[in-house]
Amino acid sequence: MEAAVEVRGLTRYFGELLAVDHVWFDVPRGSVFGFLGPNGAGKTTTLRMIYGVLRPDDGDAVVLGRSVRREPREVRRLLGVMPEDAGIYPRLTAEENLIYFGKLRGMEEGELRERVRDLLSRLGLEEKRHVLGDRLSRGMKVKLSFARAILHEPPVLLLDEPTAGVDVMSAREIRSMIRKYAEGGRTVVISTHNMWEVERLCDGVAVINRGKIVFSGEIGELQRLTGEREFEEVFVRLVRQEVIET
Amino acid sequence: MVRVTRGLGLLGYSVPARPWLVVAWKEIVEALRDRRTITTTILMPMVLMPIAMVLPVFMISPRAAPPRVVVVPWESPPGLIEELASAGDIRVEVAPPPENVTRLVLDEGADLVVEIPAGFTENLSAGGTGEVRIYYDPYSMRAVGAIVVVRGALASYEERIVEERLREKNLTMQYIDPVEEAEYQITRTGRAVSPGALIGAAVLPMMVALIAMTGAGTFALDMIAGERERKTIEALLTSPASRGEILAGKYLAMLLLSTISGVSTLISAVVGLYVMGTMILPSPGEVAGQLANQTSASVVASLLPEGVDPWTLLMGVGAGVVIAGLTGNAIITMTSSFAKSFKEAQQYVGGAVMVLILPMIAVPYAPRSWAPALRVVPIGSIAMMMKDLLLEPTNPAAWGLSAVSSLAYLAIFLAVSAKLFGRESVIMG
């Protein structure tokens, strides 16, 4: 089956620093895919090139058949994105934050109202709908950012650290929603440091270190290759370059 | 403010799903909820400007609180004290000569003391000069204003004495006033310029250019630098809206807010001028008496330049306000694009304003020979457009050049700001 996201040699320099070095990997359709790496490895830069905030210096990515370089606007229509920073507008209420992005995505009034009501309810933000963004707790902002990403029910979701800095209960809710979202046949890419989360949510992973992909494939295959069961150990060995023939 | 603007917030559901309209809606909602910015950009100027204009005038205007003038006569020349008492705009008291006149000014609250020394009448009768002594505190603006009134009264008294003396010698006033002045206005239109147009030509260009530089001011800074500082820009750029559509929406919001700010500034300035006028000019009753035979339309027309329809002028001023507001916002957007934070953006914008404000200040006072150059200078061209509309409305070559160069600069600033807004280093910091 054609991959939902095909990353083909994406490259990015910041000055003389080669932040992302010709990365290649595929994200299977309908999967929950982990994108892992230590701090500064190039995860966020890679994701930003896929969702169009940064221009690649070389290479391309294809999202459901649409090229990021040639059809960036179409790609953004297909994607739902939860950036690393929640980016909630402080002087808009929780509800208005969702209205804004729903309207930017061309959602009509009736559909948008329904969807906003549903998401606020499912994420436990119903009572906060009229609360300004700067009065929401960090966990609420993260949940609202997730709601914003799935508001238009995109076929591909890119989540950059979706549970970072969030309390346990909120993190559980978000993970549950990620799982349910993917069950509908949609594709979810999660960039995360949380190995426990990767083990429980992800079907496959790509691991990036110092701008290069060091592994891409199923978790089971990675565990078999390293001989480790604990995913944290697997990851550490990879990053230390104690590798693994793939 | 959230409760007050809640309806506007929920209006978002009904906003047509055009990205530039959606962005404009959101910016306006956020701006109206920024109490600090609304207060400093719209409310405070509306309240403070009339106060700042009126308060100094109030403190020195004789109409508001007539200065106290104490007349200290050592003798009573016929008609002199009556002339002073009937001067108007001063409150005259007659007091017996004290030991120390200066005490009246320094300790007893007199704004002015007019002393008529002994021998005044005798000197006048002998054909000589009678001296009147005026004592005042030079640091007191009320005293300075009162001196003008007293001098006017003394001049009237002196004129009567001179007429009498000349009559005795079978002479007229023309004998001592041999030179007459006749003034003729030379304009390119061949028509005279009304006093109102002259005042407007000095004030309006600066006001409109000021609107250009302050415009939406803080709103504009917040829409670009603030969005980057709050890290909301990345989520915005993941939407299908193009950067051009996002910027167009922000400009639409800035234009609306700067127009509100500009109109409120103009209204408060007009209110201030009107109140000042009541303190300085003849009373409304006196004006009405003078204008009894004229219609209100002809009164308005008398303040306008000849040959221009008031509605045409209004549209011209409106266009000037719009161009000025957009230009200011584009400049602010451009300069704040280089800043990583709101505070840094304020510093850059402050520097830019200092430079661009110079032609604005020059326009009301510049000699005619500078006009062609000022018509093609940024911001100066907007101020010149207003001045040309008021002073040379039937000379399209004048205000047309100003308008074209203003629009050209606007297009350049908008294009540069759009280019900068698209740069990754500007967006991502």
Side-chain angles (χ1 to χ4, degrees), chain A residues 177-195:
Chain A
M177 290 199 70
I178 290 173
R179 208 176 288 115
K180 284 199 185 96
Y181 197 77
E183 278 168 14
R186 302 181 192 105
T187 308
V188 181
V189 178
I190 308 175
S191 167
T192 181
H193 291 123
N194 189 325
M195 298 303 136

Side-chain angles (χ1 to χ4, degrees), chain A residues 178-237:
Chain A
I178 290 173
R179 208 176 288 115
K180 284 199 185 96
Y181 197 77
E183 278 168 14
R186 302 181 192 105
T187 308
V188 181
V189 178
I190 308 175
S191 167
T192 181
H193 291 123
N194 189 325
M195 298 303 136
W196 183 91
E197 196 165 81
V198 170
E199 279 189 276
R200 273 149 190 77
L201 280 178
C202 299
D203 306 308
V205 295
V207 182
I208 186 169
N209 187 30
R210 294 183 190 172
K212 289 186 197 296
I213 294 291
V214 294
F215 175 80
S216 172
E218 291 180 13
I219 290 184
E221 185 188 344
L222 189 55
Q223 286 167 325
R224 185 180 56 77
L225 285 169
T226 57
E228 298 283 355
R229 291 299 308 168
E230 287 291 327
F231 199 74
E232 192 174 300
E233 284 304 315
V234 168
F235 178 77
V236 168
R237 285 190 64 187

Side-chain angles (χ1 to χ4, degrees), chain B residues 281-299:
Chain B
L281 297 173
S283 69
E286 291 165 353
V287 173
Q290 289 165 21
L291 299 176
N293 296 323
Q294 299 186 43
T295 63
S296 56
S298 62
V299 169

Side-chain angles (χ1 to χ4, degrees), chain A residues 12 48 51 53-55 73 76 85 87 89-91 95-96 99-101 103 105 109 113 132 148, chain B residues 2 9 12-13 15 26 30 33 222 227 230-231 234-241 245 424 428:
Chain A
R12 176 71 196 205
R48 281 176 171 167
Y51 57 72
V53 169
L54 291 179
R55 275 179 219 97
R73 198 157 172 158
R76 292 202 299 273
D85 294 301
Y89 286 98
R91 289 194 295 270
E95 182 175 14
E96 288 160 1
I99 294 173
Y100 182 43
F101 283 89
K103 278 294 179 179
R105 291 198 172 271
E109 181 177 348
R113 275 186 198 273
L132 289 177
R148 182 181 61 202
Chain B
V2 178
Y13 280 121
V15 168
K26 170 253 171 194
E30 282 207 296
R33 287 180 183 162
D222 192 59
E227 180 120 40
R230 289 189 299 270
K231 299 188 195 305
E234 188 167 0
L236 180 58
L237 293 177
T238 65
S239 74
E245 285 168 328
E424 285 173 6
M428 304 308 299

Side-chain angles (χ1 to χ4, degrees), chain B residues 196-285:
Chain B
L198 283 171
I199 294 171
V203 171
L204 194 59
M206 278 183 65
M207 291 211 62
V208 172
L210 193 64
I211 290 167
M213 296 321 300
T214 55
T218 313
F219 300 124
L221 279 172
D222 192 59
M223 284 180 200
I224 308 296
E227 180 120 40
R228 197 162 54 241
E229 189 175 78
R230 289 189 299 270
K231 299 188 195 305
T232 51
I233 192 98
E234 188 167 0
L236 180 58
L237 293 177
T238 65
S239 74
S242 68
R243 291 176 193 201
E245 285 168 328
I246 292 170
L247 199 57
K250 287 180 182 285
Y251 272 128
L252 179 59
M254 284 187 228
L255 176 62
L256 186 64
L257 293 163
S258 66
T259 302
I260 294 172
S261 174
V263 167
S264 71
T265 303
L266 278 172
I267 289 172
S268 60
V270 166
V271 168
L273 280 170
Y274 176 77
V275 175
M276 275 172 64
T278 61
M279 291 181 177
I280 299 171
L281 297 173
S283 69

